[in-house]
Amino acid sequence: MAFAVEPAVSDLKSDYDREGWCKIPHRFDDDTIGLLRERIDSICSRRRPEVVYEKDGETVRAVHGCHAFDDVCAALVRHPQLVSLAEALLGGPVYVYQFKVNLKQAHEGAAWPWHQDFAFWSEEDGMPRPDAVNIAVSLDDVHEDNGPLVVIPGSHTLGLLDLPAMADKDDRNGWKQHVSADLTYTVTGSRAESLAREHGKVLITGRAGSLHAFHPSIVHSSSNNLSADRRALLLITYNAVANAPAHPMRPKFLVERDATATTPSSDGRLRLVPDASPSDS
């Protein structure tokens, strides 16, 4: 199932450019998602630098850079349809800038406050422009009670909002604060509420395997997981090769140093099928 059919790609790019996000009309099948879950669950069971925990120090909040040491995740980032979609949205060759899985464990997963991803990539890594795209793969069924992503359409056109003063930046606690519930760069609740009144907001829900694309500057958040259902969201950030930061300082599992264009490669374990599920609310 290729995304190379021009009208489909054109429609997706139009939605992405206008709204800052788009739903991809394909999903990974159940066997693919089962395999990805197995690999992520195995990684979460190990004490590695790439594994980040909630404030209790035991509940896994996220894992990073899995494509560097797991063959299934490595195959996923080279999936021909994902690479071609990223190239179509960004207009040229891309490489994997970041790979992560954000997990909200049942009844324990904490919220992510309103923020923009590009704030971290610009301010911490020196990424020149928001010429990157997040491709999100739902590893679990996502519903309104297990902490879905909430986006404010059109907010990606507003630039970076509410950046802290330089003195406040000097008080930060390093990269771990960039992946915790206490984020270094956030959009204030009052501004987010104002933007939501003007632009509306969208809950990104759907069955496991669903695919979405998000702009680095879109204002987004997610709530606590109040349900008995885990919510795991796998995110591949493709960056334009021409947009690679010159001297990133954060760990390699957060920021890839090699900006060589990703070469697509098919893997029979990773299968896409048409997604006929309803649109997000």
Side-chain angles (χ1 to χ4, degrees):
M1 296 283 176
F3 294 119
V5 180
E6 284 303 323
V9 171
S10 176
D11 290 345
L12 287 174
K13 180 165 174 52
S14 177
D15 290 345
Y16 179 81
D17 289 344
R18 182 181 66 254
E19 302 292 329
W21 74 282
C22 63
K23 178 177 172 58
I24 299 165
H26 292 77
R27 57 177 291 273
F28 283 107
D29 69 12
D30 293 345
D31 288 342
T32 300
I33 292 302
L35 179 59
L36 285 168
R37 281 190 192 129
E38 287 178 9
R39 294 305 179 93
I40 296 305
D41 289 346
S42 175
I43 294 167
C44 288
S45 69
R46 311 173 211 163
R47 287 279 175 174
R48 302 182 54 112
E50 299 92 343
V51 181
V52 175
Y53 299 89
E54 300 283 6
K55 292 181 179 180
D56 63 11
E58 296 295 331
T59 303
V60 176
R61 179 176 178 83
V63 293
H64 300 268
C66 310
H67 67 303
F69 56 85
D70 179 83
D71 67 299
V72 174
C73 294
L76 181 66
V77 304
R78 296 193 302 271
H79 195 289
Q81 280 68 53
L82 298 189
V83 175
S84 68
L85 175 63
E87 290 176 341
L89 293 178
L90 297 178
V94 299
Y95 72 100
V96 179
Y97 181 74
Q98 193 173 83
F99 182 109
K100 62 187 174 186
V101 183
N102 289 337
L103 299 109
K104 292 192 180 211
Q105 309 295 345
H107 301 300
E108 296 182 288
W112 292 89
W114 291 106
H115 67 282
Q116 298 166 291
D117 291 342
F118 184 54
F120 298 87
W121 304 340
S122 171
E123 300 300 298
E124 297 294 330
D125 305 332
M127 182 184 283
R129 301 170 302 280
D131 294 345
V133 59
N134 293 315
I135 305 294
V137 184
S138 297
L139 298 184
D140 299 317
D141 293 339
V142 182
H143 53 80
E144 62 181 12
D145 294 325
N146 66 345
L149 204 64
V150 182
V151 302
I152 299 179
S155 57
H156 66 299
T157 65
L158 304 176
L160 291 178
L161 307 171
D162 300 333
L163 291 179
M166 185 57 67
D168 295 329
K169 292 181 188 178
D170 291 340
D171 293 333
R172 61 201 172 197
N173 296 317
W175 68 266
K176 290 188 177 180
Q177 193 169 339
H178 308 155
V179 296
S180 73
D182 301 317
L183 293 179
T184 304
Y185 304 101
T186 60
V187 176
T188 64
S190 59
R191 185 187 293 275
E193 289 173 9
S194 176
L195 290 173
R197 285 194 297 270
E198 181 179 355
H199 298 278
K201 58 185 179 180
V202 179
L203 273 65
I204 306 300
T205 57
R207 64 184 294 190
S210 299
L211 290 162
H212 296 81
F214 302 96
H215 192 281
S217 296
I218 197 167
V219 176
H220 62 289
S221 69
S222 62
S223 58
N224 294 336
N225 186 351
L226 304 177
S227 79
D229 303 319
R230 189 189 72 169
R231 190 229 69 175
L233 189 66
L234 186 155
L235 294 142
I236 306 168
T237 302
Y238 293 100
N239 188 26
V241 169
N243 194 45
H247 304 290
M249 300 296 293
R250 293 192 298 167
K252 189 176 186 297
F253 57 77
L254 286 181
V255 187
E256 178 56 62
R257 305 301 199 263
D258 184 357
T260 303
T262 299
T263 301
S265 179
S266 296
D267 188 308
R269 297 172 295 178
L270 307 175
R271 295 181 296 274
L272 283 171
V273 295
D275 186 1
S277 60
S279 299
D280 300 277
S281 58

